[in-house]
Amino acid sequence: GESVGLHLPTLSVQEGDNSIINCAYSNSASDYFIWYKQESGKGPQFIIDIRSNMDKRQGQRVTVLLNKTVKHLSLQIAATQPGDSAVYFCAEKWRNFNKFYFGSGTKLNVKP
Amino acid sequence: NAGVMQNPRHLVRRRGQEARLRCSPMKGHSHVYWYRQLPEEGLKFMVYLQKENIIDESGMPKERFSAEFPKEGPSILRIQQVVRGDSAAYFCASSPPAGTTEAFFGQGTRLTVV
């Protein structure tokens, strides 16, 4: 759901390890989900999306998992690189609404 | 195909002045969203517009803030009589008319009120 002004949690991983970033979404009627990456001083950038009729979708080095039962979304990044350091947001779109709601975000810190 | 263009990238205003933030959506996109982001925080929805219509302004403060998306030209987010608490990054996103598809973001306008 909407960010409520909380400071961002941070996930620190070693370069080369896999990263898992989690997100709880708010509306069981959401039908479309996106993961965005935001680097410092820039706008959010699309990473990967998934529709509610799917459980899993893979991209290049990234995998998104959707668990509708518990309204949970995760982003897995394989072989994390320093360039992956950024803030990651999940966004959900409610069915029949054309508005995106953003989660509060997770800061990924990749240690060389 | 140019992406979502926002200008200015940085805007400094004194307390009490007006701030105008512009957003040109991607070509073919008729839906525009404005979000506000404080440092180290998430994106907070402000308003969703289609051409000449405000669809959802549930995230807009009741006073001093307004938004428009005219038939021609960019979308404008207007903040009157700015206060220090308005200092933030304001992001615009656009999406195509219909369907389930991503919203593309601009690089944002960083407003500083002094």
Side-chain angles (χ1 to χ4, degrees):
Chain A
E2 289 276 51
S3 163
V4 292
L6 299 174
H7 287 284
L8 298 169
T10 298
L11 173 66
S12 292
V13 300
Q14 207 68 39
E15 181 179 358
D17 287 351
N18 296 334
S19 303
I20 299 176
I21 300 171
N22 297 304
C23 176
Y25 63 92
S26 62
N27 189 346
S28 56
S30 293
D31 61 358
Y32 180 60
F33 305 87
I34 305 174
W35 278 101
Y36 284 94
K37 172 185 179 183
Q38 186 179 27
E39 296 174 277
S40 181
K42 295 184 179 180
Q45 182 182 12
F46 172 88
I47 301 174
I48 191 167
D49 60 0
I50 188 167
R51 287 169 171 71
S52 58
N53 60 353
M54 302 170 69
D55 297 323
K56 178 179 179 179
R57 189 158 190 232
Q58 286 185 291
Q60 189 177 19
R61 280 202 308 121
V62 293
T63 301
V64 55
L65 298 176
L66 175 62
N67 185 333
K68 293 181 286 293
T69 303
V70 294
K71 293 190 289 186
H72 184 268
L73 199 64
S74 69
L75 176 70
Q76 300 177 0
I77 305 174
T80 314
Q81 302 168 359
D84 295 327
S85 293
V87 176
Y88 291 81
F89 294 98
C90 68
E92 60 179 306
K93 189 180 81 67
W94 295 7
R95 187 175 297 125
N96 299 325
F97 288 82
N98 211 30
K99 181 170 78 174
F100 291 88
Y101 294 88
F102 280 80
S104 53
T106 298
K107 191 171 188 176
L108 177 65
N109 180 31
V110 181
K111 295 176 285 186
Chain B
N1 187 6
V4 178
M5 304 300 292
Q6 288 188 251
N7 68 82
R9 289 293 308 276
H10 300 274
L11 181 61
V12 179
R13 283 287 177 265
R14 296 187 185 279
R15 281 178 295 171
Q17 291 185 318
E18 178 179 288
R20 281 187 178 234
L21 288 61
R22 292 174 184 77
C23 170
S24 296
M26 287 182 70
K27 187 176 180 181
H29 287 191
S30 57
H31 295 197
V32 164
Y33 314 81
W34 285 93
Y35 290 85
R36 172 185 159 125
Q37 187 177 39
L38 294 172
E40 298 295 305
E41 293 192 6
L43 291 151
K44 182 172 169 57
F45 169 81
M46 298 182 74
V47 63
Y48 162 40
L49 310 107
Q50 295 177 19
K51 286 280 187 183
E52 300 184 279
N53 282 310
I54 297 175
I55 306 303
D56 182 344
E57 56 181 347
S58 57
M60 289 279 270
K62 295 282 188 286
E63 297 175 350
R64 301 189 298 109
F65 284 71
S66 62
E68 62 176 8
F69 188 16
K71 187 176 180 181
E72 301 291 337
S75 175
I76 306 286
L77 178 67
R78 183 182 176 205
I79 311 172
Q80 294 178 290
Q81 300 172 342
V82 296
V83 300
R84 287 224 170 100
D86 297 332
S87 295
Y90 292 84
F91 289 97
C92 167
S94 74
S95 69
T100 307
T101 186
E102 66 185 280
F104 294 83
F105 280 85
Q107 293 300 305
T109 293
R110 278 146 189 85
L111 173 66
T112 303
V113 180
V114 299

